[in-house]
Amino acid sequence: MPLSPSTGAQYARILGIGAAIPSRVVDNEEMCTYIDSSDEWIQQRTGIVERRWVAEGETVESLSLDAARQAIDRAGLAGADIDAVIVSTVSHMLQTPSLAAHIAAELGTDGAAAYDISAACAGFCYGLAQADALVRSGAATHVVVIGAETLSRITDLSDRSTAFLFADGAGAAVVGPSDTPAMGPVVWGSDGDQYDVINMTKPWPEALQAGENSNIFMEGRAVFRWATGFIASAAQECLDAAGVTAEELDVFIPHQANNRITDSMLRHLTLPDTVKVARTIKHYGNNSAASIPIAIDAMLASGEAKSGDLALIIGFGAGLVYAGQVVQLP
Ligand SMILES: CC(C)(COP(=O)(O)OP(=O)(O)OC[C@H]1O[C@@H](n2cnc3c(N)ncnc32)[C@H](O)[C@@H]1OP(=O)(O)O)[C@@H](O)C(=O)NCCC(=O)NCCS
C-alpha cells in the first residue's frame, strides 16, 4: 500500500508577537546591595540600568501564558487554532511533564502537540526554526513558540560575575502559513567543547542534598570571546543564507546578552545607520530565551520597527549553542 507523506504550506511567517514583562523592577542601586559593584561598572560593562524579576504570584507559567495569549490574539486566531506549542526555557523546575503541555491546555488548544526545548538563550530561534519546518512540512498549521525564563530563581545573588546580568520575562510568536517567503533558513549549531563555560553549579539532587540551590555560573570572558568572534560571523551567515544584504535589512535583534557584545557584532557586520538595533537589555536585563521576542514586541510597540520589516535575529548561550535567521516582522 503506498504511503501518503505530509505536505504543508510553501512558506511560513510570524503572524503575531506577544510579550510578558514581570512587574518587579530591580535597578542597579538595589543590585549593589547584593554584590560589591557599582551602577557605573554594570552600565559600562553590560548596558543594564535595571532588570525585571518576577514578583509574588508571577511564574514562568503565568508569563508564558500572558505572552502566548497576546501573540495568538494579535495573529487574529484563537487557542483552538493552535496545533503545536513549543516552549523554550531553562526555568521550568520539573523535568517532566513539559511546561508546553500545561500551556497548550490553558490556551484552550484542541490537544495541540506540545514540547519543551532546552537551548538556553538560543531557544527562541531554535523554536522558530522548528515552527517554520512544522508548518512547511504539514505537521502543523499554527505553532506557538514561547521563550520564557525566571532566571532570578537560579541566580546566586552573591555571585558578582552573574547576579547583575540575569532577568525574567517571556515572549511568544505564532508561526503559520504564508503566500510569500517570510522566514530565512536557520543558521545554527553547537560547541559542546565549551559545555562548562555556562553551566549549573550542581545537579539538583546533589544541591538539594547539600541544602543549596543550583545556580547558573559563567566564565564571562570565554562567552564574550565566542560571542564577539564566532557568533558575529554566524550573524553574517544568516544574512547570506537568506539572500539579504546589510542594506536591505531594517532591524537587528541579537540576543540581549550584553550591549558590548551587540556593539562588537555591529562592527563586524558593518550595517548601515538606517538599521534599527535592539537595546532592550537596558531596562529588562538578560532574560535568555525571552529576550528576542520581547525585543521584537518592544520595537514594534515603540514604532522603531514596523510590520513587514526584515529583521536579523540571533540567539546564543549555554551549551554552547546558537541559532539565527532573517524574518519578516508581523
Ligand atoms: C561578565 C562580564 C561583564 C565581566 O566583565 P570582565 O571584564 O570580563 O570582568 P572580569 O571578571 O575579567 O573582571 C574585571 C575587573 O572587574 C571586576 N569585577 C568583576 N565583577 C564585577 C562586578 N560585578 N562589579 C564590579 N567589578 C567587578 C573584577 O574584580 C576585575 O577587577 P580588577 O581588574 O581590579 O582585577 C564580561 O565578561 C561579559 O560581558 N561576558 C559576557 C557574558 C554574557 O554576556 N553572558 C551572557 C551569555 S547568554
Side-chain angles (χ1 to χ4, degrees):
M1 197 169 75
L3 187 155
S4 306
S6 61
T7 51
Q10 190 175 3
Y11 307 114
R13 67 167 54 242
I14 300 176
L15 299 169
I17 281 278
I21 310 296
S23 53
R24 185 170 168 216
V25 180
V26 178
D27 61 16
N28 287 343
E29 194 184 325
E30 180 182 342
M31 181 50 59
C32 293
T33 64
Y34 308 126
I35 53 169
D36 175 15
S37 190
S38 67
D39 175 46
E40 191 191 358
W41 190 93
I42 297 171
Q43 284 205 43
Q44 192 261 328
R45 297 292 167 125
T46 68
I48 298 173
V49 171
E50 58 193 18
R51 74 276 300 136
R52 294 296 185 106
W53 287 356
V54 282
E56 190 76 26
E58 292 170 333
T59 62
V60 71
E61 290 87 351
S62 70
L63 296 175
S64 297
L65 266 175
D66 289 350
R69 285 189 176 126
Q70 194 176 54
I72 292 168
D73 190 51
R74 287 177 176 168
L77 299 170
D81 299 316
I82 303 302
D83 34 32
V85 176
I86 302 172
V87 180
S88 174
T89 185
V90 298
S91 317
H92 177 51
M93 294 303 165
L94 297 177
Q95 276 170 286
T96 196
S98 69
L99 176 56
H102 176 61
I103 301 297
E106 292 291 315
L107 288 175
T109 69
D110 187 15
Y115 58 100
D116 294 353
I117 54 176
S118 175
C121 309
F124 180 73
C125 295
Y126 265 70
L128 271 193
Q130 293 197 4
D132 174 44
L134 293 176
V135 169
R136 289 189 297 110
S137 73
T141 306
H142 294 116
V143 184
V144 176
V145 179
I146 301 168
E149 302 294 358
T150 47
L151 296 184
S152 62
R153 296 190 58 200
I154 47 172
T155 298
D156 178 355
L157 287 193
S158 65
D159 178 357
R160 72 202 287 258
S161 62
T162 56
F164 55 89
L165 200 59
F166 294 126
D168 306 339
V174 175
V175 176
S178 171
D179 294 334
T180 52
M183 292 177 80
V186 67
V187 173
W188 59 351
S190 65
D191 180 3
D193 288 343
Q194 300 201 70
Y195 193 70
D196 284 327
V197 163
I198 308 173
N199 207 326
M200 302 295 288
T201 44
K202 283 191 171 81
W204 276 105
E206 276 179 39
L208 292 174
Q209 213 163 22
E212 296 169 5
N213 205 44
S214 187
N215 294 311
I216 305 171
F217 73 83
M218 174 182 74
E219 287 177 39
R221 287 202 165 184
V223 179
F224 195 86
R225 269 197 307 275
W226 178 70
T228 54
F230 181 82
I231 296 302
S233 303
Q236 180 62 51
E237 278 181 49
C238 296
L239 287 177
D240 297 343
V244 170
T245 64
E247 285 67 35
E248 288 164 334
L249 195 68
D250 301 300
V251 190
F252 177 45
I253 307 180
H255 163 50
Q256 298 292 287
N258 184 320
N259 257 348
R260 285 192 306 149
I261 291 177
T262 301
D263 290 340
S264 169
M265 284 182 162
L266 282 172
R267 284 193 293 275
H268 182 92
L269 289 167
T270 59
L271 299 177
D273 292 344
T274 49
V275 174
K276 303 288 189 307
V277 180
R279 299 281 185 183
T280 38
I281 193 169
K282 183 175 179 186
H283 295 295
Y284 297 153
N286 174 345
N287 41 32
S288 191
S291 86
I292 290 174
I294 284 177
I296 296 175
D297 178 72
M299 292 177 85
L300 286 171
S302 70
E304 252 186 304
K306 56 186 192 315
S307 176
D309 275 357
L310 283 182
L312 167 60
I313 60 176
I314 185 160
F316 47 92
L320 297 173
V321 294
Y322 67 97
Q325 54 269 89
V326 176
V327 296
Q328 192 169 32
L329 297 182

